[in-house]
């Protein structure tokens, strides 16, 4: 799923998480400056040719998982709604 980081709206949904669909999408939509993604290697490879100058950044969710995962017992507990 591709979303706009500024508006949080869904831009498009790709059929797979492989490099090919992302490459084709980026070729059809030039001008992408920043790619916020998880650590999947296929996504890194998929953006290289069509958007070689786009900055890659990790999204907040995956940064948080990296921080919390090794210490999951220390993760803040969210209130549960009944």
């Amino acid at each position: 799923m591709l979303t706009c980081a500024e508006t949080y709206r869904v831009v498009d949904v790709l059929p797979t998480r492989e490099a090919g669909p992302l490459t084709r999408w980026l070729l059809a939509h030039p001008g992408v400056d920043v790619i916020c993604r998880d650590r999947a290697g296929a996504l890194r490879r998929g953006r290289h040719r069509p958007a070689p100058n786009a900055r890659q950044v990790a999204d907040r969710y995956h940064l948080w998982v990296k921080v919390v995962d090794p210490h999951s017992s220390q993760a803040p507990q969210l209130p549960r709604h009944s």
Side-chain angles (χ1 to χ4, degrees), residues 29-76:
H29 301 87
V32 173
D33 296 322
V34 178
I35 297 174
C36 182
R37 64 174 185 84
D38 63 13
R39 306 297 281 177
L43 297 178
R44 179 177 33 94
R45 289 186 301 276
R47 74 91 194 158
H48 186 70
R49 187 175 58 118
N53 296 322
R55 288 184 312 159
Q56 292 187 74
V57 296
D59 62 76
R60 283 184 248 167
Y61 171 79
H62 288 91
L63 287 174
W64 180 248
V65 168
K66 286 287 189 188
V67 169
V68 173
D69 187 55
H71 311 287
S72 60
S73 64
Q74 296 176 21

